[in-house]
Amino acid sequence: MLPERVRIIDSHTGGEPTRIVMAGGPDLGDGPLSERVERFRRRFDWFRSAVVNEPRGSDITVGGLICAPVDAASTAGVIFFNNVGYLGMCGHGTIGLLVTLAHAGKITPGEHQIETPVGAVTAVLHDNGEVTVHNIQSFRRATNVAVDIPGHGIVRGDVAWGGNWFFLIHEHGQHIALENVEALTDFAWRVRQALRPQGITGDNGAEIDHIELFTSSQKPGVDSKNFVLCPGKAFDRSPCGTGTSAKLACLYADGKFAEGQIWRQEGILGTIFEGRICVRDGHVYPTIKGSAFVTSEADLIFDPRDPFCVGIPA
Ligand code: PYC
């Protein structure tokens, strides 16, 4: 079952890496991406681990498996994954995917429909290399939800969907700065672990697996700075596309953001995504603009004698 070689292209979007599997990945069959991700999880989870976990990757690597799309009008389907599982959508990853496909000579600037397990998004590759992702519908599910954090006390946050589930906190008492990521990670992880036991989930009991903390940005013209803790306890180096989408849905719900406005979201490294919204039938569809850069092209080699051939489990 082991492939001999898997062709990958690595990039980073605002500092957050994306590893796109260009060839040699498992055949997940056909049908909607929502079904194919379940096949991936059940039958090929070792492949996920092999591509992104150590020793080939690390807890910050986000992988993307390109799949044949259902709709012939789509450019591609993609399933994003990380050190512990699968993502619904990935904003930085979609920006990385378009830049990667352009680097490989597979697309040219223009609009591209990309299918994901949570729906199709449209991504525009601009002539200057920037990418705008028109995300799926995003919404706030609950507001001002109290959660009791052991060793800290009550914090309040919003539950929102931007392609993944987020718990968004503004009043947290933490210093959001790169030199403080250990403390931020510890705090956000305690929030994450407290949510389900206190009955706080996304729709249908879905795990809220991304925690997003906010503060004001010190940069002129930038609206906010965030720290996002991802499902496998690594922090997002980028401002997080799905997290920014969730944020825009909350701002809209609070009457603080409207069509035509621009939201500049800074991430923990100081990189910025530009967010806008489209409102259709009262539903919010965020768009996120950012840049990615290709960092390597490589073949992953699978030696059956290697004890860590399928990765060191996270
Ligand atoms: O950009 O949506 C995003 C994302 C999710 C997890 C890491 N990045």
Side-chain angles (χ1 to χ4, degrees), residues 8 10 15-19 48-63 81-85 230 232-235 237 300 311-314:
I8 56 151
D10 283 349
E16 179 77 351
T18 307
R19 173 166 288 176
R48 173 193 62 74
S49 170
V51 170
V52 293
N53 279 336
E54 296 176 22
R56 295 186 187 89
S58 78
D59 60 350
I60 70 166
T61 312
V62 172
F81 48 95
N82 60 24
N83 55 334
V84 292
C230 295
K233 212 177 173 184
F235 65 91
R237 273 63 176 165
L300 305 181
I312 301 169

Side-chain angles (χ1 to χ4, degrees), residues 80-156:
F80 290 110
F81 48 95
N82 60 24
N83 55 334
V84 292
Y86 301 84
L87 291 161
M89 222 302 277
C90 184
H92 94 267
T94 305
I95 295 169
L97 171 67
L98 259 74
V99 167
T100 293
L101 291 176
H103 172 84
K106 295 191 181 297
I107 63 167
T108 52
E111 198 170 282
H112 297 276
Q113 182 167 284
I114 308 291
E115 296 172 14
T116 80
V118 293
V121 302
T122 305
V124 180
L125 176 64
H126 301 284
D127 288 328
N128 67 359
E130 286 184 301
V131 176
T132 299
V133 180
H134 297 267
N135 199 3
I136 56 162
Q137 188 195 332
S138 301
F139 54 85
R140 180 163 70 185
R141 179 51 77 225
T143 185
N144 208 25
V145 178
V147 54
D148 193 1
I149 310 302
H152 180 90
I154 301 281
V155 292
R156 291 177 179 276

